Amino acid sequence: ETGVTQSPTHLIKTRGQQVTLRCSSQSGHNTVSWYQQALGQGPQFIFQYYREEENGRGNFPPRFSGLQFPNYSSELNVNALELDDSALYLCASSLEPGEAQYFGAGTRLSVL
Amino acid sequence: GQSLEQPSEVTAVEGAIVQINCTYQTSGFYGLSWYQQHDGGAPTFLSYNALDGLEETGRFSSFLSRSDSYGYLLLQELQMKDSASYFCAVNNNQGGKLIFGQGTELSVKP
């Protein structure tokens, strides 16, 4: 148990819809990072939030957006869902950027 | 570009020792992390090397050589429950993001 919780655990959406995924970071951690993991691949970095500000972004289009709240929990929003967005979405928290990251169990998103 | 190379599959028997190598080529480097992931589960943090040398945590050890852009994870006294995918990941100093390798699937046989 890492203390990082994500909701929901599973989600089914149709192409063109919008989705919001949620993450509660481990106590004392002010940094949250989001990753997308396709089947059989390593996780791919989407973006990171540090003290409520975006602190780095990977090669994902603008329809992937996020927020971090004062309690350091975070949301990942994806607009105009595409079939290729089907994946496991992982949230990881760390004490500071660059420190060891601890992952939640993920949200399995299926886009039909 | 940025890339990490690790073997795709490794097979070993219970009680044995196995080493999973990782070479990396990235712009910026804070350190090298190792994660274990069982099917459908969350990546579990195993170790983090920021400096050259060996870090030991129980049955698992991790090594880093920054000059060679190389590291490895050593698993001793293998158990069936160690069957999983193992990922090396570079902590990148551009926002502290993790850049993951493709993963090594370890199968432990009786």
Side-chain angles (χ1 to χ4, degrees), chain A residues 35 37 40-43 45 48 55 88 90 98-105 108, chain B residues 30 33 35 37 40-43 45 48 87 91 94-98 100-102:
Chain A
Y35 295 82
Q37 187 178 23
Q41 303 291 316
F45 176 75
Q48 181 183 83
N55 187 47
L88 180 67
L90 295 162
E99 298 288 329
Q101 297 186 20
Y102 297 87
F103 284 80
R108 174 80 56 190
Chain B
Y30 266 165
S33 300
Y35 287 84
Q37 188 178 33
F45 174 77
Y48 176 62
F87 294 90
N91 287 64
Q94 295 173 4
K97 70 180 181 183
L98 283 174
F100 281 81
Q102 292 298 298

Side-chain angles (χ1 to χ4, degrees), chain B residues 70-91:
Chain B
Y70 164 76
Y72 66 73
L73 179 70
L74 191 73
L75 299 86
Q76 301 181 75
E77 300 172 20
L78 281 173
Q79 302 174 9
M80 298 295 289
K81 67 179 182 179
D82 297 329
S83 293
S85 292
Y86 291 84
F87 294 90
C88 59
V90 166
N91 287 64

Side-chain angles (χ1 to χ4, degrees), chain B residues 29-42:
Chain B
F29 183 86
Y30 266 165
L32 187 70
S33 300
W34 287 92
Y35 287 84
Q36 178 194 63
Q37 188 178 33
H38 287 97
D39 273 349

